[in-house]
Amino acid sequence: MALGTDYSGQDCSLAKALEVVGERWSLLLVRDAFLGVTRFSDFRRRLDISKAVLTQRLGSLVEAGVLERRTHGGHDAYVLTPTGEALWPAVHALMRWGDATTSARGPRRLFRHVPCDADLDVTGRCPVCGATPTAAQLETRPGPGAGTDPPANPLSARLREPHRLLTPLRD
Amino acid sequence: MALGTDYSGQDCSLAKALEVVGERWSLLLVRDAFLGVTRFSDFRRRLDISKAVLTQRLGSLVEAGVLERRTHGGHDAYVLTPTGEALWPAVHALMRWGDATTSARGPRRLFRHVPCDADLDVTGRCPVCGATPTAAQLETRPGPGAGTDPPANPLSARLREPHRLLTPLRD
DNA sequence: TCGGTTGGTCTGGTGAACAGACCAGGGCGT
DNA sequence: ACGCCCTGGTCTGTTCACCAGACCAACCGA
């Protein structure tokens, strides 16, 4: 049992959620999956995580129904399931809190509701239509708080360019 | 450095957030703080966490500005700061995801927007006024998905009764 | 056929979390 | 004045998760 997994005896929805996505690295894997990362080696390049732990985390996220593993022409792809996509509001809320507490120049990343061509507000709502869009309707791009360092690798460079969420960056 | 703390090299708001609240137990401490828990021994009673780790976690949350420690007539009280209260949308979103994935009978806990007398929807919005209330405007009570086991201790029994968020249960 | 990529497994070392012992200070009953 | 419990810790030994790095089989392109 991984650290951060066992909150037995807690009749609490938050504890249940954290048993699945509360381990080290788990939510960052989900974040990258929203951004379009699908491959083992790409998660690795992004996160500087040990291969053994990455294997373990991807496996437990698949087992929990957050990710689905598809073998696809010689390599594997890990993609979010509907259950995984349902994590979007939580991921977005945590990102906005991270921005609010650690970024003086505003959000590091912006999310635009494509049908309305408007950026989400801090609550995750589209200011034009008032809805709370799902990730599939969003496009992301760097915000005013984004770092100015050059990307660590070509993959991170591609993820920095404006692109639709949930669309795989390969194949 | 605690497990789950170091995500250096990540220019990502989510990583920054997880460096503060991504460690084991941290978000559960914040959850209980929203419910009105303030004392070291009460966090302990609720969470079955080692005293050494609780000391460490409360300390790092205080250091991060999420909690504030007030010495108050012979005992200490840990209360949420405005920065900590700003975590409410993230905590709520994760709870709702936990409910959606692990509770067949609906939310384990409901949150009512007191001025409107209406329960929050799944996005954290009040269906009457349309606003996304802060925690201070909410009252909580058990929902249809709440467990039927008797509370583990008197403290948990009190937390199960309807009550306003952020109001200390003692003093 | 040779090198590089992919998606892993395995090993040894480090350090975080755990249970449980211990302890100082304060309040309370007698 | 005395004992006793509560509070809010610290300290110790053990377990186990994470880490770096070695290794490997299958596949692909040149």
Side-chain angles (χ1 to χ4, degrees), chain B residues 6 67 72 120:
Chain B
D6 181 31
L67 296 178
H72 176 273
L120 295 192

Side-chain angles (χ1 to χ4, degrees), chain B residues 1-3 24-25 48-51 53 56-57:
Chain B
M1 168 162 32
L3 257 189
R24 182 151 161 74
W25 302 115
D48 193 25
I49 177 179
S50 129
K51 300 174 94 175
V53 176
Q56 194 177 308
R57 285 296 175 278

Side-chain angles (χ1 to χ4, degrees), chain B residues 54-84:
Chain B
L54 179 55
T55 300
Q56 194 177 308
R57 285 296 175 278
L58 289 173
S60 65
L61 289 173
V62 167
E63 192 180 0
V66 172
L67 296 178
E68 183 188 355
R69 178 179 179 167
R70 297 183 188 151
T71 306
H72 176 273
H75 67 266
D76 293 357
Y78 295 91
V79 296
L80 286 166
T81 63
T83 297

